[in-house]
Amino acid sequence: MTMPQLSGDARPGLAPGVRLTFDKARDQWVVLAPERVLVPDETALEILQRCNGTRQLTDIIDELASAYSADRSEIEQDVRDLLASLIEKRILTA
Amino acid sequence: MSAPGIPAPPLAALLELTHRCPLQCPYCSNPLELERAKNELSAAEWTRVLDEAAELGILQVHFSGGEPAVRRDLPDLVAHAREIGLYSNLITSGVTLDQARIAKLADAGLDHVQLSIQDVDHQTAAFIANYPGVQGKKLAFARMVREAGLPLTINAVINRHNITRVERMIDLAVSLGASRVEVAHAQYYGWAIRNRAALMPTLAQVREATERVEAARGRLRGQIVIDHVVPDYYARQPKACMGGWGRQFLNITPSGEVLPCHAAQTIPGLTFESVRHKPLAEIWASSKAFERFRGTDWMPEPCRSCDQREVDWGGCRCQALAITGNAAATDPACALSSAHDSLRALADTASSEPPPDFVYRRMTPHDDKTALAAATS
C-alpha cells in the first residue's frame, strides 16, 4: 500500500500516545511513543515542533522555507518525506 | 562503556506494582515464587520511586504486574507520573477495569494501554489464561479503552496452541482500533520455562507464522505498526536483551527490589538492592547486580572480540544460565555458542511431542514450597 499524498491543507499533529518533550537529564528533545524513545535531529525537531494539529502543511513549509532562506520545493520535499515516514510509524497523524 | 564512571541513565522502568493477577497464564514472566500482597510497596513508596526515577533521567514507566489494576491506588500513581513528566504505559490483562476506572486513568493522564491477548479463539484463550470468558472481557475492555480516547497496543503472546492463528490476532488488533500490535513469541524464563514443552511451537510453525506476519505487515502498512519478537530457540543471533544489561532499563519488583531484568533473580550469586533502603540512582550506578554484566568487560569469547558485542550486548544472561548453567556464558541463541545446537534440540524435541498439561501460574502457599521446588526441578 502506498501512502496517499498529503494535501496542503492537512494539519499534521502528534498521534495519540505520543509526546514531544525536553529531556533535562540528557539535554535534548525527545519523542516519547509506546515502547519507543526517538531523538529527532535538528531538522526533524523544527518540523515536529510545528506539527501541532492546527497549523496547515503549506504554512509549515512556508515558515521553514523563510526561516532557513531555502528553496521552497526542497523544503517541501524534506517535510513531506519526514511526515510520510512518521505517519507510517504512527508518530504523527494528519 | 568499558571505562569506569557513572553509567548513562536508564530510559525506562518496568514497575511491577503487584504479583496478584486474576489470570494464570503459563508463560508469565514473573518468578515462580510470587510476591505476597503484604510485602508490596505502599502508594507513598511508589510515589517516591516515581520521583527518584524522573530525577535519574527515566522517561517512560510501565505500570505492570501481575495485574497492576488490582491496586486501587493505580490512578493516583498515574497522575503523579504525569505531573512529573513521565510517560506512562499500563500493561494489563484487561479483565478487572470497568468504564469508570478506565475514564479515571485517562483523566489521570495515562499515555498508553497495552493489552495482552491469548488468542482469537475464545475457548483456547480461556484455556491458556485458565479463566473462563476471558476473551469477551478483553474485547469489551479494548473497546472501552478506545472510547476513552486512549491509544492501544495489543500484545499477542505466541505459543504452540495459538500460532496458527497469528494473522487473525493481528487482524483482531486492527479491528479493535489498536495502533500497534506486538507479536511476541513466549520467552522462556519464569513460568514459561517451567511450561516450555507445553508452549514450544515447531520450526515449521514458526516459519509459517513469520511469513504470515510479514504478509500482514505489507497488507496493513500505514494502518497498524507490527512489532515481531522472534523466538530465541529458533534464532541464530541473540537479542539485545533489555537493550543491554544495566544500560537502558530497570525493573522494580512489588517489594521494591531493583533488577536489571525481570528474570534476574534466577541468577545465583547476585544480590539485589531495594528502593526501601537506597535511592534508585545509587542502585543504578553502583549496585553489584547492575555492574556484573554491564558493558562488555564481563564477556567471554567469542563475544568479547565479536563485532556485534555492542549491538546485542551478549544477549540474555538468564537464558545462558537456564541452558548452560552459567549466566556469564555466551547466549545459546547465538550460532557461535557451543550450546546453540542443544538449544535447538530442546525446542525440536519439545515441539515434536504432544504438549504436556500446563502448570498454571499461581501463588504457592508457604507450606507448599517443597512441592513447588520438586515440580520445577
Side-chain angles (χ1 to χ4, degrees), chain A residues 1-3 16-19 21-26 30-37 87-90, chain B residues 9-11 57 59-60 62 82 85-87 89 111-112 114 151 179-180 182 218 221-225:
Chain A
M1 196 176 98
T2 326
M3 300 292 291
V18 177
R19 280 202 251 157
T21 184
F22 189 73
D23 172 5
K24 278 182 280 186
R26 297 166 191 83
V30 288
V31 176
L32 303 179
E35 299 279 335
R36 272 182 298 175
V37 176
I87 288 169
E88 189 185 321
K89 292 181 185 137
R90 291 291 187 122
Chain B
L11 291 170
L59 299 172
Q60 294 187 316
H62 304 280
R82 183 69 187 213
L86 290 167
Y87 182 101
N89 176 29
D111 286 287
H112 178 260
Q114 179 174 319
S179 44
R180 184 168 161 271
E182 282 181 14
R221 197 166 158 224
Q223 284 184 64
I224 193 164
V225 174

Side-chain angles (χ1 to χ4, degrees), chain B residues 67-135:
Chain B
E67 171 49 61
V70 305
R71 297 248 333 197
R72 304 303 297 187
D73 46 17
L74 177 63
D76 302 329
L77 299 176
V78 168
H80 189 71
R82 183 69 187 213
E83 199 182 303
I84 58 177
L86 290 167
Y87 182 101
S88 64
N89 176 29
L90 176 66
I91 300 178
T92 181
S93 65
V95 300
T96 64
L97 286 166
D98 59 18
Q99 199 151 22
R101 291 192 70 209
I102 295 168
K104 210 168 167 186
L105 289 166
D107 289 346
L110 183 66
D111 286 287
H112 178 260
V113 175
Q114 179 174 319
L115 170 69
S116 63
I117 60 164
Q118 279 67 25
D119 206 323
V120 284
D121 177 74
H122 287 232
Q123 254 182 321
T124 318
F127 163 67
I128 293 172
N130 202 23
Y131 189 102
V134 71
Q135 190 74 353

Side-chain angles (χ1 to χ4, degrees), chain B residues 24 35 68 73 81 99 152 186 222 302 319 349 353 374:
Chain B
Q24 299 186 357
E35 195 69 75
D73 46 17
Q99 199 151 22
L152 176 69
Q319 186 153 272
T349 308
E353 288 168 4

Side-chain angles (χ1 to χ4, degrees), chain B residues 39-57:
Chain B
N39 298 331
E40 289 173 8
L41 296 182
S42 67
E45 286 173 311
W46 277 119
T47 303
R48 174 174 57 79
V49 168
L50 289 169
D51 287 335
E52 291 181 7
E55 186 64 26
L56 173 58

Side-chain angles (χ1 to χ4, degrees), chain B residues 136-151:
Chain B
K137 285 199 171 189
K138 283 177 185 252
L139 299 179
F141 172 78
R143 290 186 185 110
M144 290 188 286
V145 166
R146 296 298 297 126
E147 279 163 21
L150 289 166

Side-chain angles (χ1 to χ4, degrees), chain B residues 203-263:
Chain B
L203 177 60
Q205 286 175 321
V206 168
R207 284 195 173 140
E208 166 83 20
T210 304
E211 277 172 30
R212 288 179 179 273
V213 172
E214 288 315 312
R217 209 195 287 280
R219 178 165 62 83
L220 298 169
R221 197 166 158 224
Q223 284 184 64
I224 193 164
V225 174
I226 302 175
D227 284 343
H228 186 201
V229 180
V230 298
D232 275 343
Y233 280 57
Y234 293 118
R236 294 189 57 76
Q237 288 183 308
K239 290 187 197 71
C241 193
M242 303 295 132
W245 184 277
R247 224 181 126 255
Q248 297 187 329
F249 182 89
L250 57 83
N251 182 91
I252 304 180
T253 71
S255 64
E257 293 203 348
V258 188
L259 315 179
C261 80
H262 44 248

Side-chain angles (χ1 to χ4, degrees), chain A residues 73-91:
Chain A
S73 63
E74 256 178 56
I75 292 278
E76 173 161 7
Q77 200 51 54
D78 287 351
V79 172
R80 284 185 177 279
D81 288 350
L82 184 83
L83 292 192
S85 149
L86 292 180
I87 288 169
E88 189 185 321
K89 292 181 185 137
R90 291 291 187 122
I91 299 295

